[in-house]
Amino acid sequence: MVNNLTIDEQALAQRLMSYRREFHRYPESAWCEFFTTSRIAAHLKSLGFELCFSDAIIARDTIMGRDDANVAKAQERAMSWGADFEFLAQMDGITGVGAILDTGRPGPVIALRFDIDAVDVMESQDDSHRPRFLGFASLAPGVAHACGHDAHAAIGLGIAEILAEHKESLCGTIKFIFQPAEEGCRAGKAIAQSGWLDDVDYLFAAHIGMNVPSGTLVCDPQHFLCSSKFDLHFSGKPAHAGIEPNAGRNALAAACTAVSQMLAIPRHRDGMTRVNVGQMHAGDGRNVVPANAVLMGETRGENRELNDYMYQQVEQIAQASAVMHGVKIEIKAQGEAIGLDNDPELVELLERVGPHSGFTKVVREKDFGASEDAGYLVDRVQAKGGKAIYCLIGSDLTAGHHNGDFDIDESRMLPAVKLFINAITQLHSTISQEDIVNR
């Protein structure tokens, strides 16, 4: 039970903006969030949270889409930016941090998840782009917070501050997971399989923006797409393209065959299915039969069965294309997402507290239409008997997600903090309606 919980909104809003702009200025892509993790960990430690890193929160053997060479460079860059060496050592090469606030009194275990990675996109260099003219644009060429995860991290820290300040009025345990590698759906499964969330009674997660306008809360987004991310590595044999092309085994030709056939996979009658090849790299020279080729792609489906159908088709096509051109094929999983279903009890909870948290419009449902590896976390908590929810925090955007011109409405972070504080205090439950934060 929480009584007389108050927030200095003006000061909190200023801190949220400061946190968000720091994370925005120092963006790090999936599995490279060493500086970001260090900064979050330092703040949480100062608030009295118990910190958990590496194998404590992530099942290392289920990690997907992690490039060791990129990770090594990211660690060096994080140190040049001022990352804390103590926290870097505790990470042991794996980014992200879990945090625990144990009140010492019986009560529920409540967890909140916030993703922290940036996107591999060049941020706008236009002088009218707000992060640029206000001086907090990306310092990492080709990497930018063009999806809003900088705001997610800031919101998480704001909630942690309030809960730590009111620890003596709380009961039970609060857990935070600041998740790496959401982009490409690369870490959710590994976090779920670590077991760190197995004692959780209630899990909350959210995304800002997603074509929801400022002032609107979507409590129960629908149609999360299952997805499989893959790399196809074709290995052939080089040869002189003029003297003896017959001696070569053309990996590029196999890759091209695979692409054309994958794009021709029949869509399934039972629901939405997608396949995309986003990148292809091949060859060493104009006059050399290409010995190596790599395709990077993904499948999606509105449920697991439909996504499995698409991915199985990709596997068959890859194998057949390799045989056709006499090359070898290696298929590497790079990320996975499953769908998710929110628990009605938590949907109704957010509908109740949303209007008291700074949202002028509360909507029950809206199509999500993309993939989110929070599905693995939701699924794990629900499988262990807990309840979970993923909601959408409205924010007017200057451009779509993953666009270099992307920017959010920073004023929407404060209502997000209040929403989760109000939800948590309601779950502590003898609290009256009049005690809900509404200032």
Side-chain angles (χ1 to χ4, degrees):
M1 179 172 173
V2 179
N3 293 308
N4 303 317
L5 192 157
T6 58
I7 298 174
D8 183 340
E9 290 194 16
Q10 184 174 2
L12 176 58
Q14 189 65 38
R15 292 196 304 276
L16 292 172
M17 184 177 68
S18 177
Y19 297 148
R20 184 256 168 168
R21 291 184 179 186
E22 179 183 15
F23 295 137
H24 192 96
R25 195 163 185 245
Y26 298 98
E28 298 167 298
S29 54
W31 294 124
C32 294
E33 311 93 331
F34 291 99
F35 176 80
T36 306
T37 300
S38 171
R39 294 293 293 152
I40 292 170
H43 195 65
L44 293 170
K45 183 178 179 179
S46 72
L47 295 172
F49 281 80
E50 174 191 344
L51 303 184
C52 303
F53 297 94
S54 190
D55 299 275
I57 59 171
I58 291 178
R60 194 179 289 253
D61 59 348
T62 60
I63 284 175
M64 292 180 285
R66 183 174 177 274
D67 186 310
D68 289 340
N70 287 341
V71 167
K73 293 177 183 177
Q75 288 177 299
E76 294 177 3
R77 182 179 62 187
M79 291 184 67
S80 72
W81 283 347
D84 189 304
F85 183 78
E86 175 190 348
F87 293 131
L88 291 177
Q90 292 182 66
M91 290 179 223
D92 192 24
I94 306 295
T95 49
V97 58
I100 301 172
L101 185 68
D102 186 349
T103 68
R105 288 172 288 280
V109 178
I110 300 173
L112 301 104
R113 174 265 198 178
F114 302 95
D115 41 7
I116 63 174
D117 55 329
V119 183
D120 291 327
V121 65
M122 179 66 73
E123 185 161 30
S124 173
Q125 302 298 299
D126 194 295
D127 288 339
S128 64
H129 183 53
R130 195 169 64 98
R132 182 172 174 82
F133 74 72
L134 291 181
F136 65 96
S138 169
L139 294 179
V143 184
H145 271 294
C147 197
H149 298 185
D150 49 349
H152 297 173
I155 291 166
L157 289 181
I159 296 168
E161 287 181 357
I162 295 168
L163 294 177
E165 180 182 355
H166 294 273
K167 179 180 176 180
E168 296 307 313
S169 300
L170 296 167
C171 61
T173 301
I174 311 292
K175 286 187 168 185
F176 285 79
I177 182 72
F178 288 87
Q179 180 195 315
E182 186 282 324
E183 299 294 350
C185 302
R186 290 178 258 184
K189 186 176 183 179
I191 291 172
Q193 294 193 3
S194 75
W196 197 71
L197 296 173
D198 285 359
D199 62 345
V200 169
D201 297 301
Y202 301 98
L203 171 70
F204 293 89
H207 206 298
I208 198 167
M210 300 302 293
N211 299 316
V212 179
S214 289
T216 299
L217 168 68
V218 179
C219 300
D220 191 17
Q222 302 289 301
H223 302 130
F224 287 80
L225 303 182
C226 302
S227 183
S228 296
K229 320 296 184 182
F230 59 84
D231 290 351
L232 305 181
H233 292 256
F234 294 92
S235 301
K237 181 181 178 182
H240 193 291
I243 297 175
E244 50 177 358
N246 55 292
R249 293 291 181 266
N250 196 318
L252 174 56
C256 290
T257 298
V259 171
S260 63
Q261 295 305 306
M262 282 190 284
L263 297 179
I265 296 172
R267 300 305 180 258
H268 205 285
R269 69 179 184 181
D270 292 339
M272 192 281 290
T273 52
R274 298 280 190 270
V275 64
N276 185 61
V277 179
Q279 293 186 55
M280 180 167 68
H281 306 276
D284 297 308
R286 184 190 304 273
N287 60 347
V288 180
V289 174
N292 297 285
V294 179
L295 297 182
M296 301 179 182
E298 64 174 18
T299 61
R300 297 182 196 251
E302 64 178 79
N303 58 45
R304 298 188 199 190
E305 291 74 20
L306 292 174
N307 183 61
D308 288 345
Y309 159 77
M310 294 298 289
Y311 190 67
Q312 289 165 9
Q313 294 289 310
V314 166
E315 290 181 312
Q316 293 173 8
I317 288 169
Q319 297 287 355
S321 300
V323 171
M324 183 184 299
H325 293 277
V327 303
K328 297 178 180 179
I329 176 68
E330 183 180 7
I331 304 174
K332 296 183 178 181
Q334 296 297 314
E336 293 179 10
I338 59 176
L340 67 86
D341 294 304
N342 289 325
D343 282 288
E345 176 186 327
L346 296 185
V347 173
E348 293 168 4
L349 172 62
L350 294 192
E351 285 182 317
R352 289 198 306 273
V353 302
H356 301 276
S357 305
F359 292 92
T360 56
K361 185 176 183 181
V362 176
V363 176
R364 176 170 277 255
E365 295 182 0
K366 179 186 182 298
D367 278 359
F368 187 73
S371 302
E372 237 292 358
D373 69 356
Y376 277 108
L377 309 183
V378 169
D379 184 70
R380 183 78 175 205
V381 168
Q382 291 171 335
K384 297 295 182 179
K387 300 181 185 299
I389 190 168
Y390 185 104
C391 65
L392 300 179
I393 307 297
S395 170
D396 295 335
L397 305 176
T398 56
H401 293 266
H402 296 199
N403 185 309
D405 291 314
F406 177 93
D407 193 22
I408 65 162
D409 176 359
E410 291 180 322
S411 71
R412 297 301 89 200
M413 292 188 288
L414 179 60
V417 171
K418 293 173 66 177
L419 176 74
F420 291 119
I421 293 296
N422 285 333
I424 290 168
T425 57
Q426 283 285 284
L427 288 173
H428 285 95
S429 200
T430 51
I431 189 169
S432 67
Q433 187 71 20
E434 290 73 22
D435 287 327
I436 296 175
V437 177
N438 182 23
R439 310 189 193 285

